Amino acid sequence: MVPCVIGDYAEGMAPEYTEIDRMGNSRSSRYGSPVTNWLIHTQEGNGTAESLAAYLNNSANGVSYHYTIDNSVTVVDVVDTDYASWSVLSANSFTINACFAGSRASWSRKQWLDLMGNGIEVAAYLAVQDARKYGFSTAVNPPPYWRGPGISDHNYVTRELGIGDHTDVGPNFPWDVFTDHVNRYATGEEGD
């Protein structure tokens, strides 16, 4: 494990984080679908990025994400983004999915900021990098949502696309903070 300090990203400084490669076989083909959305999820458990990745790498469990992220700013790569993870049913083919390890949809705003503030910033950075790689919008799409490419959460797939019934990341996720991070890494401009 080596700290990953990317240095000056094209439009802003990358956050410091440790990235671990634990790529497994809990994945599917994208069947030619272009990637258009980057989604965040909660674990609803008490894991770390590494312990969650170990669970996801058992394909018998039937679930996976591209990334697991925890607040110690550990990022575990579980599924190569060129493949579909098993995260959002029929939306898997066109999404990239990241799960905040140890998080819960019932958290208050304060809990999100205190317990996952560092992870939120790293997720924003990864979302911008992947949006650039695959050519989709870096627009953050919080509730009440609109249909289209960009960065959102699992609840977007449920509410806007009508797929499944998950509501994570929950009503108190600090979308304003996340959006400021995304905008900073996408444009180099500081948020309000």
Side-chain angles (χ1 to χ4, degrees):
M1 294 183 287
V2 180
C4 188
V5 184
I6 308 297
D8 287 325
Y9 185 57
E11 287 82 13
M13 181 63 136
E16 186 172 330
Y17 62 96
T18 300
E19 189 165 12
I20 302 167
D21 181 342
R22 295 279 191 273
M23 299 282 189
N25 291 319
S26 299
R27 66 184 194 193
S28 299
S29 170
R30 289 195 181 278
Y31 303 105
S33 296
V35 177
T36 59
N37 296 85
W38 206 94
L39 305 173
I40 52 178
H41 302 260
T42 57
Q43 180 184 356
E44 300 304 312
N46 298 319
T48 64
E50 290 188 78
S51 68
L52 178 55
Y55 177 82
L56 300 172
N57 275 327
N58 180 348
S59 58
N61 291 324
V63 63
S64 64
Y65 302 97
H66 293 94
Y67 306 103
T68 58
I69 304 167
D70 62 31
N71 206 43
S72 70
V73 288
T74 297
V75 175
V76 180
D77 300 328
V78 181
V79 173
D80 186 309
T81 56
D82 287 343
Y83 293 91
S85 64
W86 301 335
S87 313
V88 284
L89 302 171
S90 60
N92 288 332
S93 63
F94 58 88
T95 60
I96 293 175
N97 296 276
C99 186
F100 293 114
S103 65
R104 297 182 183 277
S106 63
W107 277 359
S108 67
R109 177 183 171 87
K110 182 173 180 359
Q111 286 174 302
W112 273 109
L113 294 172
D114 291 349
L115 302 175
M116 198 56 68
N118 297 328
I120 289 169
E121 181 175 2
V122 170
Y125 175 76
L126 294 172
V128 170
Q129 284 208 319
D130 285 337
R132 291 239 162 85
K133 176 180 178 180
Y134 292 98
F136 62 88
S137 173
T138 59
V140 176
N141 186 356
Y145 306 117
W146 67 86
R147 186 176 291 234
I151 302 165
S152 197
D153 66 349
H154 198 157
N155 193 36
Y156 163 80
V157 174
T158 300
R159 299 272 187 245
E160 188 62 30
L161 303 183
I163 302 168
D165 60 4
H166 288 226
T167 60
D168 54 312
V169 291
N172 299 312
F173 183 79
W175 285 103
D176 57 332
V177 173
F178 181 66
T179 301
D180 283 348
H181 289 313
V182 167
N183 290 341
R184 185 172 78 250
Y185 291 122
T187 67
E189 297 177 13
E190 291 295 323
D192 296 332

